Amino acid sequence: SLARPDVLADTDFGVRKGFSLLIGSERLPTPKELSEHAERWRPYRSAACWYLWREVDGAVVPDAKAAVPAPGRPPDVEAQP
C-alpha cells in the first residue's frame, strides 16, 4: 500500500478494463483518456482504482451459464428447491 489517497494507475490494464466495463465500452480507454476523466475523482483516485479493479473481478457476463469461473473462484451454484 502506498498510503497515498491520490495515485492513479492510468497505465494499468485492470484499471483501464474496469473503467471500460463501468462505462459500457468495448474499447479500453487510453491512459490519457482515463487520466482526463479521473480528474473528477481527485483526491481519491487510489480508491477509484481499487473499485475499478474490483469491477473486473466481479464483472457481469451476459450469458452467465456459458461463463467459466476465474481460477480459484468457485462457480455459481443455482439454488436447489
Side-chain angles (χ1 to χ4, degrees):
S1 171
L2 295 174
R4 292 180 285 173
D6 196 33
V7 176
L8 177 65
D10 57 358
T11 60
D12 184 273
F13 177 81
V15 172
R16 292 170 60 209
K17 179 66 176 176
F19 183 75
S20 70
L21 290 170
L22 186 68
I23 64 171
S25 175
E26 292 183 17
R27 183 183 70 81
L28 289 180
T30 66
K32 182 179 179 183
E33 290 170 336
L34 179 59
S35 182
E36 289 172 357
H37 184 87
E39 281 300 310
R40 66 188 77 188
W41 302 334
R42 275 186 188 271
Y44 304 107
R45 292 182 298 178
S46 296
C49 287
W50 185 85
Y51 281 105
L52 292 171
W53 284 314
R54 299 295 69 84
E55 178 69 20
V56 173
D57 288 344
V60 177
V61 178
D63 184 7
K65 291 186 180 185
V68 177
R73 182 182 244 174
D76 292 334
V77 178
E78 293 182 22
Q80 299 294 325

